[in-house]
């Protein structure tokens, strides 16, 4: 697959990119072999490509190959989350026949993932807000044309009548076609070579991305809607891969990838802790000590290895790599954490010592993780040392996660994490800040299967005054509850009780200090209330301060999957970048994904709490709470895909911004279970029009494949259980603010409207109904002041000359008020009166809208929506002999061939590929082995996209071995991993 993809990509990018190296990451559950290399800094969580069953716990159902898809987190030109190719799709003998060469499919999804491109065909699954039309009226050619990128395809125009029967459509290109008519391309094409994003990948001549010469900017598809009508090639050339003539065309004789087999290694972490003098302020050293001890006592997983380094002006080894095996080991390591602070700051000395520890006993440091915690800047004499340390860490594939302890921390931490593939966190002096804890929890995610991961459902750090009491509640759903712990840490010394804890179960039973699972560790100042198996339902707990003084209390509730064969509900989160160029208008996007296995959890209540730095005058600001939405508007790309997002606009100045996510369910929360298509971009299947006319639908294992024009099932799901989750999204740095800007200045315009759609158009009374989601005052927050709607008889004129076209006057607006804007997320409806010439039977208008706020900041022009008013809509043909001619006669009157693809989109991509495959332990077929053989790639100095690593002993069943009705024995997992 990837070998074919590399050659196809090289041609499609006009000799500017190919896959040079591919890593396959073998899980640690498989036996080690001499040929398995270090995975470097590649992990399953950071994979570009994941190969796994849609539900990895069970074999695929017959007839459900689960097409490849990409999940998009952000908009046009932005890298997606990852590509998911299901193992059943990869191994099934019929998928290539119906969907095309798998290498072509891979490039199609890669374009989604790395360059942020979208599909150029109508796809209600990926674009549920789109009007389900397959033709549009071209104001350029003045005929009805199919919705796709390139014009000039030879096609059949067919309509599905149900029960497996397709017929020629009634109508023509002048008057249009009957409802449901779809254009299906012929297999043989003479006049087109594009587009890869149009989905007709089984047509041999489709080898190009659309460029400005053949791009159809009129077509109302998702790519044009989100990319402002730009061609795929134009968007790609604005990407850092190709921008400013980067990676020019070169002749490469051999573009075969080199495949590297790597095996997942045990988790190895070195803590590099700042104990310099500045850590003695605001109780920082105390927080560092207690949180680091908590990591060693409870968070670090059994079987991981941990080392400890302390640094001030020099690095000091506190512990070499130590296997976490017994409680005594944990306590011994915890006792070594520094508790006092003093001296200068030399970050490089600590990093060098950590590298030495990772390299001891002839171990390769590659794949090791350093958690660096610091609150200060390097001493001048250490600047060069720290930079040399960074370079060495990059060379030796060591990952660095960094925690900035306050906004005084060295701003070089960002480059340190970015260059090593790590993550950046913020721990402030605010009472509720938990950034260091979040970082430690994050170290135990990579390489740990979701079924074995610690899941946090509550996290809080609060100040308790004398006699103060606080109550909390959490839900423990049926997917979790194994080994549940309620944990409370305090910071004061006392010979008597410090806290009174009462935990109450869903059935009303109270658990206090006399409960056998209640323990207190006075040395580490922590109380635990443990349950081997927690009762599902709503739990509550109350914390009371018994100490004679006020102090901070950290409360944490964590649990593990219930082990009952049900995947846990998982939440992940991040910010759009570790650095945000606020000075030049770059938005900071908060993102969270909620899912069960690979299935989206939709309509949950998701809030982001964002910590902010002081302003230039030293004034501090409280955290901001922001609700993230999955509504397909504003920062969110696709509605109901389980990805929640929102733009952040409440900046306070230069510094670090940290994010924490709280998630809970309500009565509307659902889990899309995969029994119907999920809103991702899926690969399209192909169908020959002649065969369709004969009644021969494409099927896999007897189950028909959905193709364009067939009825679209509504998304199916089940009610989600009551649940809560708490996660961290890391941090982002704002290095500069706009000139003259002060906190509170209104510099953000309303967000661009991207879901403008025509919901009805009436020829007889000359009216058009428009709908869209209301933008905000500041991007997607608040309410705008008023709307400006413009229209034109030409989509090209409206796109190119929007600002010079007069707004639609109020007298022409029958319903709706442009001066009354709803809150962001509400649906807006406008009914417009339009002219219908008496001498025409078809008239078309294009519409666009933008919002303006009270400071006269104007949003961007929306996507274009076209209204086509027809005097006559051809009715479905009757079953007369002319309509139901034999397929052979019908095919003589029409071109032949049909290609239809069903696209489902998730998101993610880039220059390195990582993926996991869940498969049977069968021998490889010769075809599979040929795709995975080791080959050497020419080492010319050309830009290459990632390295894809696969396994020589790949356990993919051959077509003859594939038994769709049988179970999959000994399901195992391995990963593709490609370094960036």
């Amino acid at each position: 697959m990837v070998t074919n993809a590399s050659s196809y990509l090289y041609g499609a990018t006009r000799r500017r990119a190919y896959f040079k190296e591919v890593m396959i990451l073998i899980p640690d559950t498989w036996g080690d072999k001499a040929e398995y290399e270090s995975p470097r800094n590649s992990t399953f969580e950071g994979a570009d490509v994941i190969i796994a069953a849609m539900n990895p716990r069970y074999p695929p159902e017959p007839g459900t190959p689960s097409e490849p898809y990409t999940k998009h987190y952000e908009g046009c030109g932005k890298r997606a989350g990852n590509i998911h190719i299901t193992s059943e799709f990869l191994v099934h003998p019929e998928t290539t026949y119906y969907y095309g060469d798998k290498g072509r499919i891979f490039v199609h999804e890669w374009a989604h993932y790395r360059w942020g491109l979208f599909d150029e065909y109508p796809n209600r699954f990926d674009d549920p807000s789109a009007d389900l039309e397959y033709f549009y009226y071209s104001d350029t050619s003045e005929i009805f044309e199919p919705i796709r990128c390139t014009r000039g395809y030879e096609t059949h125009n067919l309509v599905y009548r149900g029960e497996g029967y397709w017929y020629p459509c009634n109508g023509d290109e002048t008057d249009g076609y009957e409802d449901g008519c779809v254009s299906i391309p012929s297999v043989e094409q003479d006049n087109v070579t594009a587009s890869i994003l149009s989905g007709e990948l089984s047509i041999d001549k489709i080898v190009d991305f659309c460029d400005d010469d053949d791009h159809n900017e009129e077509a109302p598809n998702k790519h044009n809607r989100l990319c402002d009508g730009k061609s795929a090639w134009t968007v790609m050339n604005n990407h850092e891969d190709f921008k400013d003539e980067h990676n020019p065309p070169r002749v490469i004789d051999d573009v075969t990838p080199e495949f590297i087999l790597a095996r997942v290694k045990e988790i190895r972490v070195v803590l590099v802790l700042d104990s310099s003098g500045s850590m003695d302020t605001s109780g920082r050293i105390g927080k560092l000590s207690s949180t680091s001890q908590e990591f060693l006592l409870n968070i670090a997983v059994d079987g991981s290895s941990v080392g400890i380094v302390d640094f001030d002006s020099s690095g000091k080894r506190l512990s070499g790599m130590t296997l976490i095996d017994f409680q005594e080991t944990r306590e011994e390591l915890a006792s070594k954490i520094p508790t006092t602070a003093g001296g200068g700051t030399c970050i490089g000395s600590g990093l060098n010592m950590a590298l030495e520890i990772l390299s001891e006993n002839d171990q390769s440091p590659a794949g090791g993780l350093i958690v660096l915690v610091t609150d200060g800047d390097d001493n001048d004499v250490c600047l060069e040392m720290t930079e040399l340390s960074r370079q060495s860490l990059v060379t030796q594939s060591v990952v660095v996660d960094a925690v900035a302890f306050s906004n005084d921390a060295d701003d070089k931490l960002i480059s340190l994490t970015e260059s090593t593939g790590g993550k950046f966190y913020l721990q402030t002096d605010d009472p509720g800040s938990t950034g260091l804890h979040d970082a430690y929890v994050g170290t135990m995610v990579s390489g740990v299967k979701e079924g074995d991961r610690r899941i946090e459902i509550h996290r809080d750090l609060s100040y308790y005054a004398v006699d103060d009491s606080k109550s909390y509640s959490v839900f423990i759903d049926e997917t979790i509850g194994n080994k549940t712990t309620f944990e409370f840490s305090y910071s004061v010394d006392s010979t008597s009780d410090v806290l009174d804890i009462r935990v109450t179960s869903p059935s009303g039973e109270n658990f206090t200090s006399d409960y056998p699972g209640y323990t207190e560790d006075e040395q580490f100042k922590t109380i635990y209330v443990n349950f081997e198996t927690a009762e599902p339902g709503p739990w509550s707990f109350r914390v009371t301060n018994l100490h004679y003084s006020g102090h901070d209390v950290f409360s944490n509730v964590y649990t593990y999957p219930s082990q009952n064969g049900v995947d846990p509900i998982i939440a992940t989160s991040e910010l759009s970048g570790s650095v945000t160029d606020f000075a030049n208008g770059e938005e900071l996007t908060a993102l969270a994904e909620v899912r069960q296995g690979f299935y989206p959890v939709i309509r949950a209540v998701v809030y982001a709490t964002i910590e902010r730095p002081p302003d230039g005058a030293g004034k501090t600001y409280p955290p901001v709470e922001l609700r993230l939405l999955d509504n397909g508007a504003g920062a969110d790309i696709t509605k109901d895909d389980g990805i929640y997002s929102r733009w952040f606009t409440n900046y306070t100045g230069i510094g670090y911004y940290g994010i924490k996510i709280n998630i809970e369910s309500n009565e509307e929360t659902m889990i899309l279970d995969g029994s119907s298509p999920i809103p991702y971009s899926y690969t399209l299947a192909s169908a020959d029009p002649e065969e369709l006319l004969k009644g021969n639908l494409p099927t896999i294992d007897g189950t028909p494949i959905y193709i364009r024009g067939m009825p679209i099932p509504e998304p199916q799901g089940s009610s989600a259980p009551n649940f809560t989750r708490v996660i961290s999204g890391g941090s982002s740095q704002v290095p500069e603010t706009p000139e003259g800007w002060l906190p509170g200045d209104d510099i953000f315009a309303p967000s661009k409207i991207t879901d403008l759609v025509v919901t009805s158009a009436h020829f007889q009374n000359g009216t058009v109904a428009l709908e869209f989601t209301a933008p905000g005052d500041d991007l997607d927050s608040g309410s705008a002041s008023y709307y400006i709607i413009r229209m034109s008889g030409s989509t090209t004129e409206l796109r190119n000359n929007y600002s010079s076209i007069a707004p639609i006057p109020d007298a022409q607006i029958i319903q709706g008020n442009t001066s009354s804007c709803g809150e962001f997320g509400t649906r807006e409806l406008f009914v417009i009166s339009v002219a219908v010439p008496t001498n025409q039977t078809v008239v078309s208008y294009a519409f666009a809208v933008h919002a303006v706020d009270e400071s006269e900041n104007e949003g961007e022009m929306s996507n274009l929506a076209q209204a086509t008013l027809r005097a006559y809509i051809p009715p479905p043909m009757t079953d007369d002999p002319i309509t139901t001619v034999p397929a052979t006669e019908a095919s003589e009157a029409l071109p032949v061939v049909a290609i239809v693809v069903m696209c489902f989109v998730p998101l993610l991509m880039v220059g390195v590929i990582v993926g996991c495959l869940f498969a049977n332990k069968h021998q490889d077929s010769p075809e599979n082995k040929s795709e995975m053989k080791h080959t050497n790639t020419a080492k010319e100095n050309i830009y290459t996209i990632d390295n894809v690593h696969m396994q020589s002993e790949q356990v993919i069943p051959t077509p003859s071995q594939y038994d769709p009705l049988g179970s999959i024995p000994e399901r195992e997992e391995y990963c593709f991993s490609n370094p960036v």
Side-chain angles (χ1 to χ4, degrees):
M1 176 178 71
V2 181
T3 298
N4 291 351
S6 185
S7 176
Y8 191 57
L9 180 69
Y10 180 63
T13 57
R14 306 176 189 185
R15 302 181 302 175
R16 298 179 70 178
Y18 70 99
F19 297 107
K20 183 176 181 180
E21 185 181 85
V22 178
M23 178 181 286
I24 301 179
L25 189 59
I26 310 297
D28 57 5
T29 54
W30 288 27
D32 205 355
K33 293 186 178 182
E35 62 264 33
Y36 292 166
E37 298 186 12
S38 166
R40 307 172 194 170
N41 56 3
S42 297
T43 64
F44 177 84
E45 293 72 29
D48 302 303
V49 180
I50 297 172
I51 296 183
M54 195 64 188
N55 186 341
R57 290 179 178 265
Y58 305 107
E61 295 295 328
T64 55
S66 298
E67 296 91 338
Y69 62 82
T70 303
K71 287 191 283 189
H72 287 277
Y73 294 142
E74 297 185 80
C76 184
K78 300 293 183 68
R79 171 178 163 174
N82 58 27
I83 299 169
H84 181 192
I85 302 175
T86 62
S87 49
E88 53 264 37
F89 185 91
L90 190 63
V91 304
H92 200 290
E94 297 182 57
T95 52
T96 296
Y97 180 79
Y98 288 120
Y99 293 87
D101 179 81
K102 292 182 176 68
R104 289 175 166 233
I105 294 170
F106 192 93
V107 171
H108 175 93
E109 297 302 331
W110 189 258
H112 286 311
Y113 167 71
R114 185 167 186 85
W115 300 307
L117 306 180
F118 295 88
D119 289 322
E120 294 170 335
Y121 48 85
N123 176 16
R124 195 62 178 269
F125 303 112
D126 172 34
D127 200 8
S129 63
D131 191 16
L132 188 56
E133 296 290 339
Y134 300 105
F135 288 84
Y136 75 101
Y137 184 78
S138 170
D139 50 57
T140 301
S141 62
E142 297 185 340
I143 60 173
F144 285 85
E145 296 189 4
I147 297 175
R148 60 171 56 94
C149 173
T150 305
R151 295 180 171 95
Y153 277 86
E154 297 177 13
T155 66
H156 283 285
N157 297 330
L158 305 179
V159 64
Y160 183 70
R161 302 256 192 249
E163 299 183 357
Y165 291 104
W166 290 80
Y167 295 87
C169 298
N170 191 17
D172 56 39
E173 63 183 20
T174 300
D175 293 324
Y177 301 93
E178 64 176 285
D179 290 340
C181 183
V182 61
S183 173
I184 301 179
S186 301
V187 173
E188 299 297 330
Q189 298 288 337
D190 297 324
N191 302 317
V192 296
T193 62
S195 165
I196 290 170
L197 291 172
S198 284
E200 282 79 11
L201 299 175
S202 63
I203 300 176
D204 291 341
K205 290 193 175 181
I206 303 303
V207 295
D208 295 322
F209 292 103
C210 268
D211 60 18
D212 290 345
D213 292 333
D214 52 21
H215 179 61
N216 180 7
E217 68 174 15
E218 292 181 334
N221 53 47
K222 189 170 186 177
H223 181 84
N224 279 338
R225 178 168 68 84
L226 295 178
C227 295
D228 297 324
K230 298 183 181 72
S231 70
W233 189 247
T234 296
V235 175
M236 290 166 62
N237 274 274
N238 284 324
H239 189 275
E240 60 184 6
D241 289 345
F242 307 117
K243 191 175 182 179
D244 299 325
E245 298 302 318
H246 188 49
N247 299 306
R250 300 181 190 180
V251 176
I252 304 297
D253 294 329
D254 185 4
V255 295
T256 305
E258 176 185 0
F259 293 99
I260 298 174
L261 306 180
R263 184 175 180 272
V264 174
K265 304 296 183 182
E266 69 280 357
I267 300 174
R268 295 182 300 150
V269 181
V270 179
L271 309 185
V272 179
L273 308 177
D274 185 352
S275 61
S276 63
S278 56
M279 289 292 292
D280 205 26
T281 60
S282 302
R284 294 174 188 171
I285 192 65
K287 291 180 182 178
L288 172 68
S289 299
S290 61
T291 309
S292 300
Q293 290 168 349
E294 157 67 7
F295 167 73
L296 294 165
L297 292 170
N298 299 301
I299 298 175
V301 299
D302 288 340
S304 61
S305 295
V306 179
I308 307 172
V309 172
D310 166 30
F311 73 92
D312 42 39
S313 298
S314 61
K316 294 176 284 293
R317 171 196 174 103
L318 301 182
S319 174
M321 299 306 300
T322 303
L323 179 68
I324 302 294
D325 47 10
F326 302 109
Q327 184 63 28
E328 293 79 6
T329 305
R330 293 176 179 272
E331 292 176 357
E332 182 180 355
L333 286 172
S335 67
K336 296 181 179 182
I337 296 296
T339 57
T340 59
T345 303
C346 187
I347 295 172
S349 66
L351 295 175
N352 286 339
M353 181 62 68
L355 192 55
E356 287 182 19
I357 290 175
L358 286 169
S359 304
E360 288 176 348
N361 300 319
D362 297 324
Q363 289 285 314
S364 168
L369 172 65
I370 292 174
V371 180
L372 170 65
V373 186
T374 182
D375 75 337
D377 286 326
D378 259 332
N379 297 336
D380 291 342
V381 295
C382 286
L383 294 175
E384 183 177 0
M385 179 190 295
T386 300
E387 173 56 22
L388 291 174
S389 298
R390 185 194 67 80
Q391 295 175 16
S392 180
L393 293 166
V394 171
T395 301
Q396 301 195 58
S397 299
V398 176
V399 178
V400 179
D401 286 351
V403 182
F405 217 119
S406 84
N407 270 279
D408 298 326
D410 198 318
D411 58 11
K412 293 190 293 295
L413 296 180
I414 294 291
S415 65
L416 184 60
T417 56
E418 284 187 335
S419 60
T420 62
K423 196 166 184 179
F424 178 72
Y425 298 86
L426 174 65
Q427 170 71 50
T428 70
D429 296 327
D430 294 335
S433 183
T434 60
L436 180 55
H437 172 86
D438 302 340
Y440 282 147
V441 170
T443 65
M444 294 296 122
V445 170
S446 179
V448 179
K449 294 179 181 179
E450 291 182 353
D452 298 330
R453 285 183 193 169
R454 163 178 165 143
I455 296 173
E456 297 201 354
I457 57 177
H458 168 85
R459 183 189 307 161
D460 179 73
L461 179 62
S462 295
Y463 178 78
Y464 282 68
V466 177
D467 296 327
D468 198 2
S469 181
K470 301 181 190 295
S471 296
Y472 303 88
S473 61
V474 296
F475 274 103
I476 295 180
D477 58 90
E478 58 262 31
T479 72
I480 56 175
N482 189 37
K483 296 180 180 178
T484 301
T485 298
F486 292 73
E487 177 188 325
F488 310 90
S489 299
Y490 50 89
S491 55
V492 293
D493 294 315
S494 178
T495 56
S496 58
D497 291 341
V498 175
L499 299 175
D500 177 67
I501 305 295
R502 185 182 69 185
V503 177
T504 304
S505 72
S507 56
E509 184 176 0
N510 291 319
F511 301 90
T512 56
S513 58
D514 58 354
Y515 166 60
Y518 183 108
T519 60
E520 182 171 3
D521 188 328
E522 295 181 357
Q523 178 184 357
F524 298 109
K525 302 174 184 177
T526 305
I527 295 172
Y528 305 96
V529 185
N530 297 305
F531 301 89
E532 187 65 27
T533 303
E535 176 187 352
W539 288 70
S540 62
F541 59 95
R542 188 190 66 191
V543 182
T544 303
N545 179 23
L546 303 179
H547 198 255
Y548 58 80
S549 65
H551 59 97
D552 291 336
V553 176
F554 176 69
S555 58
N556 188 208
V557 183
Y558 54 90
T559 183
Y560 290 85
S562 58
Q563 306 294 327
N564 62 357
V566 177
D567 287 310
I569 293 173
I570 295 290
T572 58
S573 176
E574 62 183 38
L575 292 169
S576 52
S578 55
V579 177
T580 302
D581 190 6
F582 174 39
N584 291 308
E586 183 180 11
E587 298 97 352
L588 177 60
T589 309
L591 300 160
E593 181 179 11
V594 189
R595 56 184 172 80
Q596 184 178 33
F598 291 107
Y599 300 133
V601 177
I602 65 173
R603 301 167 197 167
V605 180
V606 181
Y607 277 95
T609 301
I610 300 176
E611 296 177 285
R612 303 179 291 171
D615 61 21
K619 179 182 178 181
T620 59
Y621 295 84
V624 169
E625 191 172 73
L626 188 66
R627 181 167 182 181
L628 309 188
L629 299 175
D630 182 18
N631 63 351
D636 192 62
I637 299 302
T638 303
K639 181 179 180 180
D640 286 345
D641 63 353
I643 299 167
Y644 301 76
S645 55
R646 203 75 177 267
W647 280 309
F648 172 75
T649 60
N650 293 309
Y651 293 98
T652 51
I654 294 172
Y656 301 117
Y657 293 77
I659 181 174
K660 181 172 70 175
I661 304 291
N662 288 274
I663 304 162
E664 62 182 39
S665 60
N666 61 20
E667 64 277 2
E668 296 181 354
T669 306
M670 294 179 59
I671 301 171
L672 298 184
D673 57 17
S675 60
S676 62
I678 297 170
Y680 300 145
S681 289
Y682 291 82
T683 298
L684 292 176
S686 301
D688 185 330
E690 288 189 344
E691 294 301 318
L692 292 179
L693 288 169
K694 294 175 184 178
N696 296 328
L697 294 180
T699 63
I700 289 182
D701 299 329
T703 301
I705 301 173
Y706 282 102
I707 61 176
R708 279 180 290 178
M710 294 178 67
I712 296 178
E714 291 296 320
Q716 299 295 317
S718 57
S719 295
N722 290 326
F723 69 89
T724 56
R725 297 291 186 270
V726 181
I727 53 173
S728 169
S731 300
S732 185
Q733 180 196 35
V734 172
E736 189 179 359
T737 60
E739 185 176 355
W741 172 88
L742 293 173
D745 286 355
D746 187 0
I747 64 171
F748 291 101
S751 60
K752 175 182 175 178
I753 295 165
T754 58
D755 63 349
L756 177 66
V757 63
V758 173
T759 55
S760 66
H762 295 282
F763 184 91
Q764 284 73 20
N765 58 16
T767 59
V768 173
L770 303 174
E771 285 192 26
F772 58 89
T773 301
D777 178 330
D778 297 328
L779 296 178
D780 56 6
S781 295
S783 303
S785 181
Y786 61 93
Y787 298 121
I788 294 177
I789 307 175
R790 294 186 168 105
M791 62 178 284
S792 172
S794 166
T795 55
T796 302
E797 180 190 21
L798 186 61
R799 188 185 303 280
N800 295 337
N801 302 305
Y802 176 75
S803 60
S804 62
I805 296 174
I808 295 175
D810 289 342
Q812 200 174 330
I813 299 175
I814 299 173
Q815 181 177 343
N817 184 350
T818 57
S819 297
S820 178
C821 302
E823 187 85 8
F824 168 73
T826 59
R827 292 295 289 175
E828 302 279 32
L829 169 65
F830 288 86
V831 179
I832 312 296
S833 174
V834 297
V836 179
T838 56
N839 60 343
Q840 294 181 217
T841 58
V842 176
V843 61
S844 175
Y845 293 100
F847 295 85
V849 61
H850 73 277
V852 184
D853 69 14
E854 74 279 3
S855 299
E856 295 300 315
N857 295 311
E858 298 197 24
E860 296 180 46
M861 177 187 73
S862 71
N863 65 291
L864 304 189
Q866 185 187 43
T868 302
L869 296 83
R870 297 194 280 172
Y872 168 75
I873 298 176
M877 288 185 177
T878 58
D879 291 334
D880 57 56
I882 297 177
T883 304
T884 58
V885 293
T888 52
E889 296 181 28
S891 63
E892 290 175 3
L894 296 168
V896 248
V897 155
I899 297 180
V900 183
V901 176
M902 204 130 178
C903 259
F904 299 68
V905 164
L907 46 140
L908 234 128
M909 165 175 166
V910 109
V912 176
I913 302 179
V914 178
C916 275
L917 178 64
F918 296 78
N920 305 332
K921 288 189 173 179
H922 293 297
Q923 296 298 315
D924 296 62
S925 68
E927 177 184 354
N928 288 331
K929 288 185 177 179
S930 67
E931 289 186 2
M932 317 241 176
K933 63 184 179 182
H934 291 263
T935 55
N936 292 322
T937 303
K939 301 298 184 182
E940 285 86 347
N941 182 23
I942 185 172
Y943 164 74
T944 59
I945 295 183
D946 303 342
N947 305 320
V948 186
H949 313 355
M950 307 179 78
Q951 178 195 9
S952 58
E953 294 187 11
Q954 202 152 359
V955 291
I956 300 178
T958 64
S960 62
Q961 294 168 325
Y962 184 85
D963 179 10
L965 298 178
S967 62
I968 290 185
E970 293 186 72
R971 180 169 297 276
E972 291 290 351
E973 161 188 24
Y974 63 87
C975 295
F976 289 137
S977 173
N978 174 355
V980 179

